[in-house]
Amino acid sequence: MPARFDKLEGATRSLADAVAAELAGAAPLGVAYSGGVDSALLLALAVRALGAENVVALLGVSPSLARSERRLAHETAAFIGARVVEIKTHEGENPDYAKNDVDRCFFCKDELFARISDEVVAAHGLAAVAYGENADDAKRPDRPGSQAATNHRVLRPLSVAGLTKLQVREVARAIELPVADKPAAPCLASRIPHGQAVTPEKLRQVERAEEVLRELGFTDGRVRHHGDIARIELPTAEIARAAQDGVREELQRGVSAAGFRFVVVDLRGIQSGAFTLPLLQVGTRA
């Protein structure tokens, strides 16, 4: 079933129209796309405004993108009716990215936008490139990737049109996007503390450990990489389940098999920006 643009009415229609106004004259458009709700909604609204033939989803692929997220991104784009072009990115080869300072995301986004500029814009005759920053993201101090977007003149239609995260989800639900309520899924590198090198091996450990969480039925979860220790963040309502007989043993076994010696559950639950915000002296709760 394609996105239900006919379901837009009232406030959600006004928000969609505001995004469409920001996209006027931007065809053909490339959308930097991850498959999360922000970029998926932008992709859908671009298709609504410009037509599917004038929009292409640009999916950056590297070891920091979990395979499950890659599959879901393709499924969501197919639902929207948009074609996907995968772009191999090599941010891990950049020492400034690998050393994992608080500006790591800048180098990741800079790599993606640079490759789009160098390899994709001319090949697909793109007039513009956009990405899914929302109005809430624009206010956060832990989003250095936004500077890369500015440097490469990448459009941010959701943010400029004033859509908050809550409104993004409201419009996504209205058009029945399957990822409308999808939890945030930052890249795998975000699980490694700043100052500790990002390596393909660590990313694979995190990916496999988080697969275990999904296999055990947890609705969300992140595995923070602390050397031999896997620190698991779960929704607070699901923390107790991790200690239940059967689940506890499978969790220990599976995460240990991913390459960790110790497995712990963080009683604070899931924390957005857990590694970056403290260094910026900002509270860590999302």
Side-chain angles (χ1 to χ4, degrees):
M1 179 186 297
R4 294 295 304 275
F5 299 125
D6 60 311
K7 295 284 189 177
L8 291 168
E9 56 185 18
T12 57
R13 184 180 182 88
S14 295
L15 291 169
D17 288 345
V19 174
E22 294 300 325
L23 294 174
L29 178 72
V31 174
Y33 172 68
S34 67
V37 62
D38 296 314
S39 66
L41 180 66
L42 176 57
L43 182 65
L45 295 183
V47 167
R48 172 180 180 261
L50 305 174
E53 70 279 6
N54 288 316
V55 179
V56 59
L58 307 174
L59 178 63
V61 177
S62 75
S64 68
L65 177 68
R67 288 167 292 182
S68 60
E69 292 294 318
R70 184 179 181 179
R71 288 192 298 270
L72 181 60
H74 277 275
E75 292 168 2
T76 303
F79 174 89
I80 293 168
R83 57 196 169 117
V84 177
V85 171
E86 289 195 344
I87 302 167
K88 297 288 186 181
T89 61
H90 304 275
E91 61 272 12
E93 298 174 11
N94 182 344
D96 288 323
Y97 171 89
K99 70 181 181 182
N100 197 18
D101 283 343
V102 293
D103 58 353
R104 182 198 65 241
C105 288
F106 169 83
F107 299 105
C108 180
K109 283 289 193 294
D110 187 63
E111 165 74 2
L112 173 63
F113 295 145
R115 290 197 175 272
I116 290 173
S117 298
D118 295 344
E119 302 173 8
V120 181
V121 169
H124 293 272
L126 300 181
V129 176
Y131 86 122
E133 177 190 83
N134 63 56
D136 290 331
D137 289 338
K139 298 175 183 177
R140 289 186 59 154
D142 61 331
R143 294 291 188 269
S146 66
Q147 183 59 51
T150 298
N151 293 352
H152 290 274
R153 300 182 179 180
V154 175
L155 306 179
R156 50 194 93 199
L158 301 179
S159 176
V160 175
L163 273 72
T164 65
K165 187 71 171 189
L166 178 61
Q167 291 171 325
V168 165
R169 291 196 186 277
E170 287 174 351
V171 179
R173 291 187 196 105
I175 64 174
E176 300 180 3
L177 275 185
V179 293
D181 295 303
K182 181 179 182 292
C187 79
L188 296 174
S190 69
R191 316 302 199 265
I192 301 170
H194 291 300
Q196 298 183 18
V198 175
T199 67
E201 179 184 9
K202 290 178 182 178
L203 296 175
R204 285 193 296 269
Q205 285 181 278
V206 169
E207 181 176 12
R208 177 56 194 138
E210 292 189 354
E211 286 175 355
V212 172
L213 300 183
R214 288 190 293 273
E215 291 165 0
L216 288 173
F218 291 101
T219 60
D220 196 6
R222 297 174 190 174
V223 176
R224 306 289 186 180
H225 193 295
H226 297 274
D228 286 344
I229 303 170
R231 177 168 60 85
I232 299 172
E233 297 176 358
L234 297 168
T236 53
E238 299 178 33
I239 290 175
R241 180 171 174 264
Q244 292 177 354
D245 290 343
V247 177
R248 183 181 68 251
E249 292 83 359
E250 288 299 316
L251 187 60
Q252 173 71 39
R253 184 180 302 113
V255 176
S256 294
F260 295 98
R261 184 178 178 189
F262 303 104
V263 181
V264 301
V265 176
D266 193 322
L267 298 182
R268 294 173 296 179
I270 291 180
Q271 302 153 72
S272 176
F275 288 141
T276 303
L277 288 173
L279 298 179
L280 298 173
Q281 297 183 336
V282 179
T284 60
R285 296 304 298 181

